[in-house]
């Protein structure tokens, strides 16, 4: 069989099919598979770690399938893209369910605080944050190639990451305060928004990922 070029990690949480289909749309010649096999993940050239749902459920399902170490190993040695909960799980702790994350990076996952969720006119903003928001890039990165600064991406989330190290932040979004919506370090890039649901900008980010040589 052809070498697996992109593994989309399946731990039972998230809209994996739409992620895989978006990857296949931008890279039709690559061997892309949804997999829950730790050996396949280890052998893949690139890894995508998506997720939807509640953090405690995601951590539990990851451990139930024996995939915790496979994810940690993938963040160390190959191009790695985290999406939504796949970003949040990389941090030390989440307020959602008061659970520890994978602790690859220092920092917390926090709930949008009700007292701050006000628009410029004092009206209440909804939680979860759902819909299109602008992404402000903090600097150049291969995954931002051909994506204009302040491009809009699609979000669905009630919690956000607060990295302990500001250098991790690759982009921010305002809802209503600025928070980290993308991180980057070495071979890892992870985003709070859903590139697979974000029209051309999202597809461009996935295109950049499959061509990325960190």
């Amino acid at each position: 069989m052809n070498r697996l070029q992109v593994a989309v990690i399946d731990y039972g949480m998230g809209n994996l099919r739409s992620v895989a289909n978006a990857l296949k749309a931008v890279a039709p010649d690559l061997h892309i598979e949804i997999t829950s096999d730790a050996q396949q993940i280890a052998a893949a050239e690139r890894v995508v770690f998506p997720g939807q749902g509640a953090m405690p459920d995601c951590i539990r399902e990851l451990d139930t399938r024996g995939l915790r170490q496979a994810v940690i190993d993938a963040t160390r040695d190959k191009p790695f893209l985290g999406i939504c909960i796949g970003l949040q799980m990389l941090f030390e702790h989440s307020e959602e369910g008061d659970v520890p994350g994978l602790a690859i990076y220092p920092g917390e996952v926090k709930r949008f605080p009700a007292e701050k969720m006000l628009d410029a006119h004092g009206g209440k903003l909804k939680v979860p944050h759902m819909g299109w928001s602008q992404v402000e890039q903090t600097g150049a990165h291969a995954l931002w190639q051909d994506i204009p600064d302040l491009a809009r991406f699609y979000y669905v989330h009630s919690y956000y990451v607060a990295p302990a190290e500001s250098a991790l932040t690759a982009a921010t979004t305002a809802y209503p305060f600025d928070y980290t919506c993308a991180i980057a370090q070495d071979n890892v890039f992870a985003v709070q928004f859903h590139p697979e649901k974000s029209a051309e900008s999202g597809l461009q980010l996935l295109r950049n990922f499959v061509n990325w040589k960190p």
Side-chain angles (χ1 to χ4, degrees), residues 27 115 131 165:
E115 67 276 11
E165 299 170 355

Side-chain angles (χ1 to χ4, degrees), residues 12-29:
M13 306 293 293
N15 192 354
L16 307 179
R17 187 66 54 193
S18 65
V19 174
N21 286 343
L23 285 162
K24 289 173 182 175
V26 300
D29 297 330

Side-chain angles (χ1 to χ4, degrees), residues 47-49 74-75 78-84 86-87 90 105 135 137-145 147 153 168-171 181-193 195 205-206 208-209 212 214:
V47 167
V48 179
F49 184 42
T75 65
K78 62 189 69 186
F80 180 101
L81 176 63
I83 298 173
C84 195
L87 161 67
L90 302 180
Y105 301 114
V135 168
Q137 302 165 19
T138 60
H141 191 282
L143 266 70
W144 295 135
Q145 184 177 335
I147 299 173
F153 288 82
L168 271 175
T169 299
C181 67
I183 66 161
Q185 187 176 82
D186 301 328
N187 58 298
V188 173
F189 197 90
V191 297
Q192 181 62 63
F193 52 79
L205 189 142
L206 295 176
N208 292 339
F209 172 69
W212 183 30

Side-chain angles (χ1 to χ4, degrees), residues 3 12 21 26 51 64 68 88 91 101 142 152 169 183 190 195 205 207 212 214:
R3 178 172 171 79
N21 286 343
V26 300
T64 296
R68 175 185 287 255
Q88 295 181 7
F91 286 85
R152 291 182 179 273
T169 299
I183 66 161
L205 189 142
R207 192 176 292 117
W212 183 30

Side-chain angles (χ1 to χ4, degrees), residues 168-182:
L168 271 175
T169 299
T172 61
T173 285
Y175 191 76
F177 53 88
D178 288 344
Y179 67 87
T180 295
C181 67

Side-chain angles (χ1 to χ4, degrees), residues 147-161:
I147 299 173
D149 195 20
L150 301 180
R152 291 182 179 273
F153 288 82
Y154 188 80
Y155 291 81
V156 184
H157 65 121
S158 300
Y159 294 78
Y160 64 95
V161 298

